[in-house]
Each structure stands twice: as C-alpha cells, then as structure tokens.
Amino acid sequence: DIVMTQSPLSLPVTLGQPASISCRSSQSLVHSNGDTYLNWFHQRPGQSPRRLFYRVSNRDSGVPDRFSGSGSGTDFTLKISRVEAEDVGLYYCMQATHWPRTFGQGTRVEI
Amino acid sequence: EVQLLESGGGLVQPGGSLRLSCTASGFSFSSYDMSWVRQTPGKGLEWVSFIQTDGSGTSYVDSVKGRFTISRDNSKNTLHLQMNSLRAEDTAIYYCAKGGTLDCWGQGTLVTVSS
C-alpha cells in the first residue's frame, strides 16, 4: 500500500500569518494516464471532512483563494497564505492513484 | 444541493452484522461512483470501499475483504455497506462519499463493536 506521510502533525499558527503542510507518498502518484490523483481535505471540529483540492492543485468550489495546492511525483504541499480563524481543524492528504486509496495521518492546525 | 445521509449504525457484538445505508439527493446518483470511508480517533481516516456507477466494479481495503460488501440501488439513490463478522477494530464513524475522489461527504454514522 502507498504510505502517505504528513508533516508536521501539529501546526500552531498565528492569525494573518502563512502556514504550510507537507505530504509525501511512498511511491509516485502519477497515474498511467498522466494525471496525479492527490487530494486535500479539511475537517473542522465536529464536522465531516470537506475536499479542498483534487488532482494536486484544482481548488473545489467555495474554497478561498488563500489556499493553494502544489507538488508533483511524491512531494506535495498545502499552503494557506494568511490563516483565518475558520481554518482550524484537521487537514488530510489522500492519494487516489493506486488501490487501496490511502490517507495521511492528518495535521492539526490550531491558533 | 448535494446531500448524503447515512443510517444503520449502532452497537453490535463482535461477530455480528450491520447494514449501513446512504441516501443521496441533489445529483444524478447513477452517474457517480461512490465510496465508504471510516474514521477512528486513533487511526484517522481510512478508505474502506468503492463501487462504480453501475455496480460492476468494486474495491475494498484488505482489512475488510471477505467481510464487507458494498452495493447500490440506483433506482432508490441508495448506497449500502453490508458488514459481517464485525470486530472491535471496525468501531468507527462511517461516511459515504460521492465519487472516487470524495468530493462530498455525508454526516457519518457511528458503528460500535463491543460486547
């Protein structure tokens, strides 16, 4: 199985300051069709996860543009340009290139 | 608005069975693959199962193969997860999610396996 490793696992942030989460996969996430199926999810306390990005950098509807996704191959990053209070919670990366699909351990973002 | 509503969770003894359901609305259910994902406090999110639009193709995480069966009824916009031979480690919140890349999630249903 593909192992997804996130860092850091806990990220204290300051409102208005940038933040960054790394996600590394144990194998390349480039599919045979050329696409890279790496997604990011955000889970606020007491809520279900919500997808933020698909295929590395495609932002889902309603996701603020202070969020960005980047990377390739085995190395990916989620960035928040200026953290707001609503950004707290758990962030997960997930690969959908290989079976079984696998998630990172999660990164807890707290003010 | 896309809505996914899970049901069927509860307390079950080890070795028992449960059938989860997920009722979909707000989108053309029969046009989308569907997935189940579970979450435990200790292990985070774990992808469980996947089913193609017409039910012809399915996939499972190794830990549930042979015990869980995913199915769908496109005439009723409903996704199911039949869970047999349940174990304590299956205790989790189970979410259904739209698509293979999980673009929308339900609110989840709690499954507790304990004697």
Side-chain angles (χ1 to χ4, degrees):
Chain A
D1 297 359
I2 305 299
V3 176
M4 305 296 290
T5 303
Q6 290 182 228
S7 63
L9 298 185
S10 179
L11 181 59
V13 297
T14 302
L15 294 177
Q17 294 300 304
S20 178
I21 300 169
S22 169
C23 174
R24 290 191 168 91
S25 58
S26 59
Q27 295 181 32
S28 173
L29 298 186
V30 180
H31 193 275
S32 56
N33 65 11
D35 281 330
T36 300
Y37 295 95
L38 185 283
N39 307 313
W40 287 98
F41 299 88
H42 176 214
Q43 185 177 31
R44 293 190 177 107
Q47 295 186 13
S48 304
R50 168 200 182 193
R51 196 179 70 180
L52 299 177
F53 289 92
Y54 59 97
R55 278 186 270 126
V56 182
S57 59
N58 294 275
R59 191 181 294 109
D60 272 286
S61 175
V63 175
D65 60 9
R66 65 178 180 275
F67 287 90
S68 63
S70 63
S72 62
T74 62
D75 199 349
F76 304 92
T77 303
L78 176 70
K79 291 183 178 178
I80 310 173
S81 59
R82 297 173 305 279
V83 172
E84 296 190 6
E86 65 181 14
D87 300 338
V88 300
L90 284 162
Y91 289 81
Y92 295 92
C93 60
M94 185 202 84
Q95 65 83 19
T97 296
H98 304 280
W99 296 101
R101 309 321 196 192
T102 47
F103 288 89
Q105 318 97 302
T107 295
R108 185 173 299 278
V109 171
E110 47 202 359
I111 307 293
Chain B
E1 178 192 5
V2 171
Q3 289 196 337
L4 299 168
L5 184 62
E6 300 93 338
S7 60
L11 174 63
V12 61
Q13 291 188 341
S17 298
L18 276 178
R19 189 190 196 209
L20 305 185
S21 297
C22 170
T23 302
S25 61
F27 67 102
S28 177
F29 179 74
S30 60
S31 299
Y32 286 87
D33 302 331
M34 295 293 292
S35 304
W36 286 98
V37 178
R38 64 187 180 185
Q39 184 170 32
T40 59
K43 292 185 68 178
L45 292 171
E46 181 180 39
W47 174 85
V48 173
S49 186
F50 164 90
I51 187 167
Q52 290 183 323
T53 54
D54 60 358
S56 61
T58 60
S59 185
Y60 300 90
V61 67
D62 280 352
S63 60
V64 309
K65 280 182 183 174
R67 300 189 300 123
F68 290 12
T69 302
I70 190 171
S71 63
R72 65 191 297 161
D73 185 341
N74 286 341
S75 69
K76 296 181 178 178
N77 291 350
T78 304
L79 175 72
H80 299 289
L81 186 68
Q82 178 66 44
M83 306 188 295
N84 299 330
S85 303
L86 282 162
R87 307 167 179 166
E89 55 265 35
D90 296 319
T91 294
I93 297 171
Y94 284 74
Y95 297 98
C96 69
K98 174 173 164 276
T101 54
L102 318 179
D103 60 77
C104 185
W105 298 53
Q107 87 293 343
T109 187
L110 176 62
V111 172
T112 303
V113 184
S114 175
S115 54

